[in-house]
Amino acid sequence: MKNFGPFISRHGLDTHGLVNTGDVHWNLPVARLYEAALRRNEAVLAPEGPLMADTGVHTGRSPNDKFVVREPSSEGDIWWGDVNRDVSQEVFDNLLNKIKAFVQGRELFVFDGYAGADPEHRLRVRVINENAWQNLFARNMFIRDEEGTTLGDFEPEFTVINMPGLEAAPEVDGTRSGTFVLLDFGRRMAIIGGTQYAGEIKKSIFTVMNYLLPKKGIMAMHCSANYRQEGDEQHSALFFGLSGTGKTTLSADPDRTLIGDDEHGWSDRGIFNFEGGCYAKAIRLDPKNEPEIYKTTQLFGTILENVVYDEETRKVDFDDASKTENTRVSYPLEHLDNVDLGGAAGHPEHVVFLTCDAFGVLPPISRLSEEQAMYHFLAGYTAKVAGTEKGVTEPTATFSACFGAPFMPLHPGVYARLLGEKISSHGAKVWLVNTGWTGGPHGVGSRMKLRYTRRMVNAALNGELDAAPTAVDPIFGLEIPTAVDGVPSELLFPRQTWNDVDAYDAQAKKLAQMFIENFEPFADGVDAAVLAAGPKVD
């Protein structure tokens, strides 16, 4: 085994039990990772300079193949169930031993960096990859030490070993399939195999941050964040939502400064980004509607994942979903013009919950009371957008507690309590924004136009709606502005956009009943006022 690279840690791979490997490349710069990926036929070049890689059959996360090791240090804290499936230490150890055998004589790539822009709360992360392009992905997505001043002594606090070429044998290894994503909080290690989808790397560390930070009184959030600068003041906002609801798109606003697009913490000092890059959906990416994101797809250092391109010219067709609806673009924050590279801001003045309502029932924007905010945060209603997860081919209604249940190892009540305390302490206004369907459900109506959503969100963040007249939805109890400058008034009230109002009423009651049934597991753990803030069905 030989080590190469500009910054090689004295805490080598042998500290993880990985020995007798082939050449190990440490903390390579972008150009050298490009060279390695091309030399190894892992990817091809797009005309403008991005690297294009395919992930095979896994074009999204595999949540049913993700497990948490049941071990003494974390067993009493984990919210065990369908989201956090348990696996024994023996299963983890056996798969780790398979990895140790798999890497014998194999070329590897190592990235050492950080999760968390706040130096007081950041996590030292090491990612060990079989593929060069996925090591570039880690370099894009986590926070880098560009000067390398600390990398020689870098000792990771959490390590991800990602070997997509190694598949588990379920009948022997105790997994559900050949794919495995296993987290061991006691050993502070995640092992991934049987999937080429790079998103598993970043979401594993997000899960780790969601476990560690609340223990320190810090809210860990699946949200994007930005701010508007006025003189010396920053007016920041958070955007919660699952993949496909618009977090990345709405936070990349040319009139506001981006902090980050997916994962943040909220401490006593304010908010901070977990990441050093963005991982945006690229399907049907429009340079007119999303110029900031589109620009990144033309830059060296960007990774285009599962996009369709011409084999001769390498020209990309962002409208082609024949591989997947979940085409992705990974890029460092430096690729954006209007971004805060420090990754932090003060306490947010606004909190926006984004939902993609496939039923076409919820209003495009509404103001939430503190009790409603807790209710909708715990409910986490949206739609799984096609391609985001394996097997999802069309929008499907779902409830994901805290707008990120797949990445929340603790009980949802822990996160809800922390968020409620932060909102109350700092007086943040809370909004529910539906980026989904209007005029009918999916298949009948149409998706809300982005320009209208932007206008409504900006009106909320700029204070235009603070004193605006409102009307209360009779079923969901949501406070809906009766007018927003630049938005057709009928769009604000979904019932008015349906041709058949009786069909709307039936659909609204159906969705309301789904809310009520979904909330039953939380009913005993919340105040009566929070429970009463949900929808009502006669």
Side-chain angles (χ1 to χ4, degrees):
M1 178 177 70
K2 293 183 179 179
N3 293 305
F4 300 90
F7 307 108
I8 302 171
S9 171
R10 64 184 179 86
H11 300 280
L13 295 192
D14 57 332
T15 61
H16 312 296
L18 304 182
V19 296
N20 300 321
T21 70
D23 293 341
V24 181
H25 305 277
W26 292 78
N27 298 303
L28 293 186
V30 175
R32 291 184 63 184
L33 287 171
Y34 261 54
E35 291 168 358
L38 296 172
R39 167 176 58 82
R40 293 161 50 90
N41 295 316
E42 297 174 0
V44 298
L45 279 177
E48 297 81 8
L51 204 63
M52 297 189 291
D54 284 357
T55 63
V57 296
H58 293 275
T59 57
R61 292 183 299 103
S62 298
N64 293 330
D65 296 306
K66 180 180 177 181
F67 298 88
V68 177
V69 174
R70 190 180 284 273
E71 53 82 32
S73 72
S74 62
E75 184 175 7
D77 297 326
I78 303 299
W79 186 43
W80 301 107
D82 291 339
V83 171
N84 297 299
R85 298 175 174 84
D86 70 323
V87 73
S88 70
Q89 188 74 68
E90 181 183 10
V91 168
F92 183 93
D93 290 344
N94 288 340
L95 282 168
L96 181 57
N97 285 334
K98 281 194 170 185
I99 288 175
K100 292 176 182 178
F102 181 77
V103 300
Q104 298 293 298
R106 192 174 296 273
E107 187 178 26
L108 299 177
F109 301 85
V110 182
F111 168 80
D112 287 337
Y114 307 93
D118 186 336
E120 185 176 338
H121 304 300
R122 70 185 184 184
L123 181 74
R124 296 189 303 273
V125 174
R126 171 169 292 171
V127 183
I128 305 168
N129 296 105
E130 173 188 358
N131 292 333
W133 82 264
Q134 291 185 327
N135 200 246
L136 176 60
F137 175 87
R139 192 184 192 282
N140 279 352
M141 300 313 303
F142 296 113
I143 296 172
R144 302 161 292 280
D145 181 350
E146 298 290 5
E147 301 300 321
T149 52
T150 63
L151 296 183
D153 291 320
F154 190 92
E155 184 174 8
E157 295 174 286
F158 211 95
T159 301
V160 179
I161 305 176
N162 182 41
M163 298 293 142
L166 174 63
E167 293 193 2
E171 66 281 1
V172 175
D173 296 320
T175 57
R176 191 191 67 89
S177 72
T179 299
F180 59 93
V181 182
L182 272 57
L183 275 70
D184 187 333
F185 289 109
R187 190 171 292 183
R188 292 193 164 230
M189 180 182 291
I191 56 175
I192 303 170
T195 173
Q196 295 275 354
Y197 185 64
E200 299 284 13
I201 299 171
K202 83 181 218 84
K203 289 305 185 185
S204 293
I205 291 299
F206 181 37
T207 304
V208 172
M209 296 294 277
N210 287 338
Y211 174 78
L212 296 174
L213 291 183
K215 293 174 174 293
K216 300 166 63 176
I218 298 168
M219 178 62 186
M221 307 174 291
H222 186 209
C223 70
S224 59
N226 64 21
Y227 62 79
R228 184 181 78 255
Q229 188 78 38
E230 288 186 0
D232 295 331
E233 294 185 352
Q234 295 175 345
H235 302 276
S236 62
L238 302 177
F239 299 81
F240 285 85
L242 293 180
S243 177
T245 57
K247 292 195 314 300
T248 301
T249 298
L250 291 171
S251 57
D253 187 322
D255 296 324
R256 297 177 65 87
T257 299
L258 180 70
I259 301 169
D261 84 321
D262 197 41
E263 303 165 5
H264 291 81
W266 189 349
S267 72
D268 290 339
R269 294 206 298 253
I271 55 177
F272 61 96
N273 192 4
F274 289 171
E275 301 182 292
C278 300
Y279 192 40
K281 288 179 74 72
I283 194 66
R284 290 176 285 277
L285 191 60
D286 187 339
K288 293 182 179 178
N289 288 330
E290 300 169 274
E292 295 82 9
I293 299 173
Y294 185 85
K295 175 194 161 189
T296 70
T297 69
Q298 315 294 301
L299 298 176
F300 179 80
T302 288
I303 301 171
L304 299 176
E305 200 174 282
N306 295 316
V307 296
V308 176
Y309 57 88
D310 186 280
E311 291 288 345
E312 295 296 329
T313 66
R314 295 291 197 260
K315 183 178 180 181
V316 177
D317 183 356
F318 288 109
D319 294 329
D320 192 328
S322 58
K323 290 182 181 178
T324 177
E325 283 278 340
N326 195 37
T327 58
R328 290 277 179 169
V329 51
S330 164
Y331 52 91
L333 285 170
E334 294 91 325
H335 279 8
L336 298 171
D337 293 328
N338 195 17
V339 62
D340 189 319
L341 296 178
H347 299 291
E349 297 176 355
H350 297 272
V351 174
V352 179
F353 295 158
L354 298 170
T355 180
C356 174
D357 177 24
F359 287 84
V361 166
L362 295 180
I365 189 165
S366 52
R367 173 83 176 267
L368 303 183
S369 67
E370 188 171 322
E371 293 77 17
Q372 286 175 322
M374 291 302 93
Y375 185 96
H376 283 274
F377 183 67
L378 283 169
Y381 168 69
T382 187
K384 289 181 180 178
V385 179
T388 302
E389 294 181 5
K390 186 179 179 184
V392 179
T393 58
E394 63 180 19
T396 305
T398 187
F399 292 88
S400 184
C402 310
F403 292 98
F407 324 117
M408 304 294 177
L410 306 178
H411 191 282
V414 174
Y415 307 102
R417 175 182 56 79
L418 277 172
L419 182 64
E421 291 172 357
K422 301 293 185 186
I423 289 173
S424 178
S425 296
H426 303 289
K429 300 180 178 69
V430 185
W431 309 86
L432 180 66
V433 172
N434 175 23
T435 64
W437 277 258
T438 184
H442 169 67
V444 177
S446 59
R447 192 83 186 258
M448 183 67 63
K449 287 182 170 56
L450 177 59
R451 68 176 183 274
Y452 292 143
T453 300
R454 281 197 187 279
R455 177 79 277 277
M456 288 182 281
V457 168
N458 285 332
L461 303 189
N462 294 339
E464 298 173 37
L465 303 185
D466 286 355
T470 60
V472 177
D473 181 278
I475 294 179
F476 289 89
L478 302 171
E479 195 174 340
I480 306 169
T482 58
V484 178
D485 188 38
V487 179
S489 58
E490 64 272 13
L491 284 182
L492 300 174
F493 296 89
R495 193 172 188 268
Q496 297 179 15
T497 69
W498 283 50
N499 292 327
D500 185 342
V501 294
D502 291 334
Y504 170 84
D505 292 339
Q507 191 82 308
K509 290 179 180 179
K510 176 182 176 181
L511 180 58
Q513 188 61 42
M514 291 174 67
F515 267 88
I516 293 168
E517 293 173 1
N518 169 77
F519 207 79
E520 288 175 358
F522 307 118
D524 292 338
V526 300
D527 293 340
V530 174
L531 187 61
K536 306 293 189 298
V537 179
D538 294 335

